[in-house]
Amino acid sequence: MTRLLKFRFYRSLTLLTSLGLSTACVTTSPTGRTQLQLVSEQSAIASSKQAYTQMLAPLAEENKVDSKPNIKRRVDEIAKPIIEQAINMRPDTANWAWELKIIDDPKTVNAWAMAGGKMAVYTGLIEVIKPNDDELAQVLAHEISHALAKHSVEKMSVSAATALGVQAIGVAADLPPIAMQGGALLAAMAVSLPNSRTMESEADRIGIELAARAGFNPHAAVTLWEKMGAASQSRQPQLLSTHPHPQARQMALKTLIPQMMPLYEQAQGN
């Protein structure tokens, strides 16, 4: 082993130790699926908080964070009842420092959520897709569901398991040139790297339920992806780069609507 490889090996061991690793696979609520969890959720939340701040800092300096009050107000109003339902589903998340930022980037059609409820929505999603409130609720509920289901924790754990490649992956993910190290780098990577089909299916299932319980029409989950598919004819929304094909998504969501309509109708009645 060369001196450089030895350095990277021991640095990786230090990284893994500093992340507060556990050695077990765990069954995660609300999915009931056994997940790899080398990184504890508590550690992932702390790392995500750091990464979130670092990722947004250069954008804030350019006045590209929460710079459009009307969009910010609309997104916050839609997100509030969904977050309330997320807390009902996982009561421990009431302790999360939920936060949602609007990034002013009309060319980026995307939204994401990190561990601990740190979220972002790009103005391009609003301006290109032009979702109505029910459709926008589906986007937000889907991303919130990734956090609820500990998908960032899972992706960080997979990355930690191959920590010798962290530096190379960081370059490949085209992360901004900011001083990220250790857990913060893994948390930023978790946003950039695609979710598995299993993760996407889980977030779809949980998200449409959260939105329905919050009083948003489940049929909008299908019309949202119809709009996404139409937008992909002229451009490739970044959101689609980490999600299955819109037509496959529509078909899967349609099968869930009959189960969700009673929840929606109950919420509307209340």
Side-chain angles (χ1 to χ4, degrees), residues 123-137:
T123 56
L125 189 145
I126 309 293
E127 296 169 1
V128 174
I129 303 301
K130 302 186 187 306
N132 60 35
D133 287 355
D134 290 304
E135 291 164 345
L136 183 54

Side-chain angles (χ1 to χ4, degrees), residues 1-15:
M1 184 181 292
T2 67
R3 181 175 300 178
L4 178 59
L5 286 177
K6 285 182 179 179
F7 171 77
R8 289 179 175 173
F9 175 75
Y10 287 115
R11 180 176 179 179
S12 298
L13 288 181
T14 301
L15 168 65

Side-chain angles (χ1 to χ4, degrees), residues 23-50:
T23 57
C25 290
V26 299
T27 299
T28 299
S29 175
T31 66
R33 176 171 62 87
T34 299
Q35 295 174 299
L36 177 67
Q37 195 173 116
L38 294 176
V39 179
S40 69
E41 186 174 39
Q42 182 179 2
S43 178
I45 289 172
S47 297
S48 294
K49 180 180 179 181
Q50 180 184 359

Side-chain angles (χ1 to χ4, degrees), residues 90-107:
R90 265 193 67 184
D92 60 302
T93 64
N95 297 321
W96 287 3
W98 293 88
E99 192 171 1
L100 198 163
K101 297 294 185 182
I102 307 300
I103 298 175
D104 187 4
D105 183 349
K107 295 183 179 180

